[in-house]
Amino acid sequence: MTEQTLTASNEGAARKPQKAGLEGIVAATTAISNVDGQAGRLVYRGYDIHDLAHATTFEEIAYLLWFGYLPTQAELATLQASLLAQRQLPAQLLTILRDLPAGTAPMDALRTAVSAGGMYASVQGQPTIEQAIALTARFPLILATFHRLRQGLEVLEPRADLGYTANYLYLLTGREPGAEHVRGLDAYLVMLADHSMNASTFTARVVASTASDLASAVVAAICALKGPLHGGAADKAQEMLTAIGSAENAEPWIRATLTSGGRLMGFGHRAYKTTDPRAEELREMARHADPVGFTFARHVEELAVAILDEIKPGRRLYTNVDFYSAVLLSSGGIPVDLFTPTFAVARIAGWTAHILEQAANNRLIRPLAEYVGPNAQTFVPMEQRQERQ
Ligand code: COA
């Protein structure tokens, strides 16, 4: 058989539909969160993210997203006990994580483990809050277990005396984290827990709308989150800061990247046409957590925003959540390739809230495509087809 290069014909499909990327299309009604991209405002169930960021814990926010109201002390204690009870991995999952090929990316490990876990844990059938709690409890565990195994370290048992965020840090590092680190990561998890109809949440809702199970919808969401235009951008933002390397190199690096058609990671957003409110909070947190890293990142940010405005006038490109996430997570000792998985540790709360909301009032999500291919072609039988040159 002669070797052939396989090239698909995408002719015509490159033409963008009127609403390319479904921009501006309302795909669902939701009572979970709202993004006002013009005002730079994010609310969870009516509460402003600036009010929640430092005054609540991730568990409280998960409760708010799932149940619709902020918990009392007793309600929170019940949720914490449920999360604690689910903080364990089936033995088969440990084997799967141990057998992953060397060099497996953590997002791929998470996707594999959640997919496999869906088969023998109670996350199938009609989506329920109990299933959402079980998966949320297991995310940090899966990632920390994978991270320790890939370093040849002993896998640690979760500690009943530590909360969700402290446990994640403890299981990753083997050290009891300081209160400040826990607070910083908790605020990060709170701010990234939900964001209306982002790409991964939409993906989860599409899968849920087919009456599939919760684990399958979450696996699909993980696949969407890992792309560099979505959650994968925090790793890339850190790589960009590392590549820039010095304050003097920032301007030539940014200009060279933009003039060669590249994108600046951690900048721009489909919804926000002003600074992302989460980026404002994260900027202040990074200022305190890592003053040196902050000063450099701030310099890059100021230059990037000005040069983007010059080279891409009118596009209104500002810092998004991923830019200062990179600085904050680095300062907290989270390895770069765990940035996006840590985003998932937060977003599992939002994904599952949306899956539950979709399932409770479901209609199959099935949009249309504008057909731009050829019409009325004459069929040619195989024996009469000419080889392509
Ligand atoms: N760097 C350089 N140019 C950018 C840019 C960026 N980060 N983000 C958008 N643009 C430019 C595009 O090149 C395009 O320019 P053009 O009009 O000359 O073609 C214009 O702005 C609109 O881009 P488009 O891709 O249509 O915008 P969008 O709303 O679909 O994009 C993102 C949103 C997030 C995908 C985009 O801003 C991006 O790629 N950002 C970098 C990745 C990132 O940080 N993602 C995390 C999002 S939270």
Side-chain angles (χ1 to χ4, degrees):
M1 202 177 105
T2 52
E3 259 194 38
Q4 283 202 323
T5 318
L6 299 175
T7 15
S9 166
N10 291 316
E11 216 178 297
R15 186 162 71 76
K16 296 238 165 72
Q18 250 189 357
K19 298 282 187 184
L22 302 183
E23 182 166 4
I25 302 281
V26 174
T29 51
T30 182
I32 299 171
S33 67
N34 189 40
V35 176
D36 180 342
Q38 301 299 325
R41 186 159 187 260
L42 168 64
V43 297
Y44 292 166
R45 300 218 182 255
Y47 297 101
D48 195 300
I49 199 67
H50 292 300
D51 294 333
L52 300 175
H54 303 286
T56 59
T57 62
F58 174 74
E59 288 112 315
E60 269 177 270
I61 292 306
Y63 193 104
L64 173 68
L65 298 176
W66 290 329
F67 292 91
Y69 47 89
L70 283 166
T72 61
Q73 287 282 2
E75 288 164 339
L76 182 62
T78 305
L79 175 64
Q80 285 165 332
S82 307
L83 283 165
L84 186 62
Q86 293 293 344
R87 228 180 258 161
Q88 50 193 326
L89 295 184
Q92 299 97 317
L93 261 194
L94 263 179
T95 311
I96 288 172
L97 288 171
R98 197 171 272 126
D99 288 348
L100 288 172
T104 297
M107 277 303 267
D108 294 337
L110 180 66
R111 182 197 60 216
T112 304
V114 174
S115 178
M119 285 181 274
Y120 36 71
S122 52
V123 280
Q124 290 196 319
Q126 179 71 13
T128 62
I129 290 189
E130 288 72 24
Q131 295 171 6
I133 291 172
L135 263 192
T136 303
R138 286 177 204 151
F139 261 41
L141 219 55
I142 291 170
L143 287 165
T145 301
F146 166 76
H147 183 57
R148 306 257 326 159
L149 286 172
R150 71 175 171 168
Q151 297 174 96
L153 296 172
E154 178 206 354
V155 175
L156 300 169
E157 283 297 313
R159 275 180 41 183
D161 61 323
L162 298 178
Y164 186 82
T165 308
N167 239 304
Y168 180 42
L169 287 169
Y170 165 70
L171 293 173
L172 280 176
T173 63
R175 292 183 302 277
E176 186 168 333
E180 203 167 315
H181 273 145
V182 178
R183 239 353 277 150
L185 186 61
D186 224 5
Y188 168 88
L189 297 180
V190 163
M191 282 188 278
L192 275 89
D194 195 47
H195 208 234
S196 188
M197 199 54 70
N198 58 88
S200 55
T201 300
F202 178 59
T203 305
R205 288 190 78 131
V206 169
V207 176
S209 86
T210 69
S212 188
D213 56 277
L214 183 117
S216 299
V218 168
V219 170
I222 293 170
C223 297
L225 184 73
K226 82 176 221 187
L229 297 189
H230 189 8
D235 312 18
K236 300 283 175 232
Q238 181 58 48
E239 283 168 18
M240 180 180 84
L241 289 170
T242 307
I244 293 173
S246 67
E248 308 75 64
N249 195 33
E251 179 160 1
W253 195 97
I254 291 168
R255 286 192 184 279
T257 300
L258 292 179
T259 46
S260 63
R263 290 190 174 209
L264 302 181
M265 290 296 151
F267 293 87
H269 199 277
R270 173 63 63 77
Y272 293 116
K273 298 306 166 199
T274 178
T275 306
D276 183 329
R278 301 164 302 170
E280 288 170 4
E281 291 287 348
L282 288 162
R283 188 193 286 125
E284 287 317 302
M285 288 163 68
R287 189 194 297 273
H288 296 291
D290 176 9
V292 175
F294 166 79
T295 305
F296 175 56
R298 181 74 175 135
H299 174 70
V300 171
E301 179 192 22
E302 283 172 347
L303 277 173
V305 169
I307 299 171
L308 279 167
D309 190 41
E310 177 195 320
I311 297 183
K312 300 269 175 188
R315 308 316 193 281
R316 296 194 284 168
L317 302 169
Y318 301 97
T319 321
N320 64 44
V321 70
D322 289 307
F323 187 69
Y324 282 106
S325 289
V327 182
L328 187 79
L329 294 177
S330 286
S331 76
I334 307 263
V336 177
D337 70 354
L338 288 184
F339 287 3
T340 310
T342 302
F343 185 159
V345 165
R347 189 55 58 85
I348 179 65
W351 287 335
T352 47
H354 278 271
I355 293 165
L356 291 166
E357 188 178 61
Q358 180 69 37
N361 194 11
N362 190 42
R363 184 157 192 238
L364 177 72
I365 299 175
R366 201 296 185 195
L368 296 175
E370 182 191 353
Y371 180 66
V372 294
N375 271 311
Q377 298 225 68
T378 308
F379 177 75
V380 182
M382 177 67 88
E383 55 280 11
Q384 292 171 25
R385 287 177 213 157
Q386 305 287 315
E387 286 301 333
R388 253 172 281 280
Q389 296 308 313

